[in-house]
Each structure stands twice: as C-alpha cells, then as structure tokens.
C-alpha cells in the first residue's frame, strides 16, 4: 500500500469516529491534501499537526470500535489454555487479529467510502456533513453487536432518554457500550475454550498423583497432550471459523 493511501486512510478513520474508513479504497496524496485543506484552510504547518494527531488517535480507535478486541482476547485465552506461554508470540496474535479485523470491517469501510468520502471529495457535502454520513455505517455495525443492557447502562450514566431509533443514539454512547459488549463476548468464548483443556489438566494431575509421580509437574505431560488434541481437531480452523461466524 502506498504511503499516501495509508495517511489518507488514517485521517478519515478519525473523522468518522472509527477506524473502519482505513479499509476504504485508496485515492492517494491528492485526496488527503484536499481533505485537510477543507478542514484547516490550506495552512501547511496546521495540516501536518492535524495529520500527526489523527495518526496518534488511530490505534485507540482501532482497538475500541472494531472486532479487534474480541479477537485478541480470545487468542490470548487460547494461549493460556494451551499452556504454551509465549507461543504464538504477541506479534503473531496481533497480526492475525488485525487481518481478521480487516476482513470483517472492509464492507463497513466501503460503505463509508461511498456515503461520505466520495461526496466530500466532490464538494457535494461539507466536512461536518461527511462526518455525520460516515458515522452511520460504523454506528450500524457497532449497534448490531452491542448488548441492549450495555447501551442502557451508558444511557443511564449520561442521563439521556432512550432514543426511538438506532440512528439517534450518539456515538459517545455507542462506542463504550460496544467495547463493553465485545469484552463480554471475548471472555465468554475464552471460558468455553478453557473447559476441554482444564479437563485434560485435571485428568493428568490425578493420574500422575495416583502413580506417585510427584517429582514430575503435571503440566510437563498435559501441555503436549493439549497441543496434540488441538492439532488433531484442526483447532485454528475451528476457532477462526467460529469467530468469523459470530459476526455474520
């Protein structure tokens, strides 16, 4: 991907209050300059400052408004359940979570591209109108996987009445409620992953204790057995497939 495309995607990710626009179709340096000139009046130092600020906020938005949180939590639970400590490495798990996040968020990015970015680049809408248009697809995606209980919590904390339509829910309510729901879902899946491996640990510990193998830690025997079971059932395929289907 070209440098101009990356910078342009980063700027629009923050403008629509979410990183989904980072998966939109690249347009290059001209689109980025045009967008920043609309916002800052064409001053080069101000453009650089705005761009650096957008790039700084992008990782936080990526973590909080995409499936990245659920995926990464489940992968870390799996590693703990297998007892492999640092295998796969954090970089590997983060990379896999990012790729799967791109796969899931690409349709949302395309919708933002068509509804907000293209009209703004064609001077058909203002910057504020483009932000409102671009936030629509992202809000729809997050509300689809947000529990009503979590939305009600933040509506109560914000002292706001329940809106009549999903489009009326402000992003400051949707974003934290979505993140809380994703953490809940990730821990649920992680707990389910732990159960079969916990059974193996208990069986191995009971057998080694009953035969008097007190000098050999049970984890030395249970870890290869858990890895072998995971490989035999094609665990990565089953896990990733289940995670992807949970967002369908």
């Amino acid at each position: 991907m070209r440098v101009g495309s990356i910078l342009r995607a980063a700027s629009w990710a923050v403008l629509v209050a979410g990183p989904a626009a980072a998966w939109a179709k690249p347009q290059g340096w001209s689109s980025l300059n045009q967008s920043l000139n609309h916002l800052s009046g064409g001053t080069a130092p101000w453009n650089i400052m705005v761009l650096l600020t957008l790039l700084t906020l992008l990782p936080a938005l990526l973590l909080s408004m995409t499936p990245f949180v659920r995926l990464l939590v489940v992968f870390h639970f799996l590693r703990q359940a297998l007892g492999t400590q640092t295998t796969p490495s954090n970089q590997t798990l983060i990379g896999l979570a990012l790729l799967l996040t791109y796969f899931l968020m690409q349709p949302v990015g395309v919708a933002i591209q068509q509804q907000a970015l293209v009209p703004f680049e064609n001077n058909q809408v203002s910057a504020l109108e483009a932000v409102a248009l671009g936030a629509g697809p992202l809000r729809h995606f997050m509300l689809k996987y947000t529990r009503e209980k979590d939305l009600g919590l933040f509506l109560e904390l914000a002292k706001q009445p329940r809106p009549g339509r999903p489009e009326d829910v402000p992003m400051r309510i949707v974003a934290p409620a979505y993140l809380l729901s994703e953490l809940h879902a990730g821990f649920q899946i992680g707990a389910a992953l732990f159960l079969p491996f916990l059974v193996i640990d208990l069986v191995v510990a009971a057998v080694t204790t009953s035969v008097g193998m007190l000098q050999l830690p049970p984890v030395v025997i249970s870890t290869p057995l858990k890895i072998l079971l995971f490989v035999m059932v094609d665990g990565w395929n089953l896990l990733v497939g289940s995670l992807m289907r949970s967002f369908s």
Side-chain angles (χ1 to χ4, degrees), residues 5-64:
S5 301
I6 297 176
L7 296 178
R8 170 184 162 275
S11 64
W12 273 99
V14 179
L15 284 177
V16 298
W23 316 120
K25 181 180 178 182
Q27 298 292 333
W29 277 104
S30 59
S31 301
L32 174 62
N33 292 332
Q34 181 182 4
S35 301
L36 290 178
N37 286 335
H38 275 288
L39 292 175
S40 60
T43 306
W46 180 252
N47 288 350
I48 296 175
M49 185 181 69
V50 171
L51 179 59
L52 293 177
T53 303
L54 299 181
L55 291 176
T56 303
L57 294 176
L58 183 60
L61 295 174
L62 177 63
L63 287 173
S64 59

Side-chain angles (χ1 to χ4, degrees), residues 64-79:
S64 59
M65 296 183 176
T66 66
F68 182 83
V69 171
R70 183 191 301 192
L71 297 172
L72 195 59
V73 167
V74 172
F75 291 153
H76 277 286
F77 267 110
L78 173 65
R79 189 172 65 180

Side-chain angles (χ1 to χ4, degrees), residues 17 64-65 142 146 151 154 170-180:
S64 59
M65 296 183 176
M142 290 193 294
T146 303
L151 281 174
F154 286 98
M171 290 296 291
R172 77 184 188 99
I173 301 295
V174 177
Y178 170 77
L179 182 58
L180 194 61

Side-chain angles (χ1 to χ4, degrees), residues 146-190:
T146 303
R147 298 189 305 167
E148 184 177 352
K149 180 179 180 180
D150 296 328
L151 281 174
L153 170 64
F154 286 98
L155 285 171
E156 179 184 353
L157 294 175
K159 295 180 174 57
Q160 291 189 4
R162 290 181 177 268
R165 301 180 305 165
E167 295 79 9
D168 298 333
V169 182
M171 290 296 291
R172 77 184 188 99
I173 301 295
V174 177
Y178 170 77
L179 182 58
L180 194 61
S181 298
E182 288 295 283
L183 287 172
H184 180 267
F187 273 76
Q188 275 189 326
I189 300 173

